[in-house]
Amino acid sequence: MDMEIQAILKPYDIWDNDVDGETNLRAKEALHDFYKTLLKRKPATNYEKDNIAHFRYLHFFVEIKKAFEEEKYLRVCNELLSLMHYVPFFQKRVYNNTVKILEIFLQIEEDDRC
């Protein structure tokens, strides 16, 4: 796994999000940094066959979406780290959905992309 992108989120890996508002906003900024760094990476060109739980990555996106809607940015960081740990993160189906969900909830316009 890519340690650089994990390191961006690791300081904000707190699922219960029981922190002050300033820390929560710093986690949101870390998500912006994560997004920018992620765009510098490319999705895998080879398909990595997964086990029977091929679509388990979708569960993480449901949880990420809920955390974004609740503005719990540390929880988003936690769910992204879990996603990276449990599924082949750079597979196109995961990578592209990660980029898209970050663009939607961080309100990143095409002009703002790196």
Side-chain angles (χ1 to χ4, degrees):
M1 179 43 57
D2 190 315
M3 299 307 253
E4 181 184 2
I5 61 173
Q6 284 184 339
I8 296 168
L9 300 179
K10 195 66 178 152
Y12 304 101
D13 181 12
I14 304 173
W15 185 87
D16 66 5
N17 212 98
D18 188 20
V19 296
D20 58 85
E22 183 179 327
T23 303
N24 196 46
L25 289 177
R26 284 197 313 267
K28 185 177 182 181
E29 287 304 313
L31 289 166
H32 278 277
D33 294 342
F34 175 80
Y35 170 81
K36 291 174 187 174
T37 305
L38 187 59
L39 286 183
K40 296 175 186 174
R41 308 299 194 275
K42 299 292 180 203
T45 54
N46 295 329
Y47 178 76
E48 185 177 322
K49 188 171 182 164
D50 206 355
N51 63 16
I52 195 164
H54 177 77
F55 293 104
R56 66 183 162 178
Y57 72 95
L58 294 173
H59 165 76
F60 290 103
F61 286 111
V62 169
E63 295 303 319
I64 290 167
K65 180 181 182 286
K66 283 198 284 190
F68 265 125
E69 288 172 344
E70 295 173 13
E71 297 183 355
K72 293 185 175 183
Y73 302 114
L74 285 93
R75 184 173 296 169
V76 173
C77 294
N78 173 270
E79 293 293 347
L80 284 168
L81 286 166
S82 296
L83 176 70
M84 286 186 268
H85 179 75
Y86 289 109
V87 301
F89 184 73
F90 283 99
Q91 291 288 286
K92 286 184 182 181
R93 69 183 187 278
V94 179
Y95 175 90
N96 290 337
N97 280 303
T98 303
V99 169
K100 191 65 177 168
I101 201 166
L102 290 169
E103 287 174 347
I104 290 168
F105 285 100
L106 296 176
Q107 299 176 333
I108 298 169
E109 301 293 326
E110 193 168 325
D111 309 358
D112 299 332
R113 290 183 84 174
C114 297

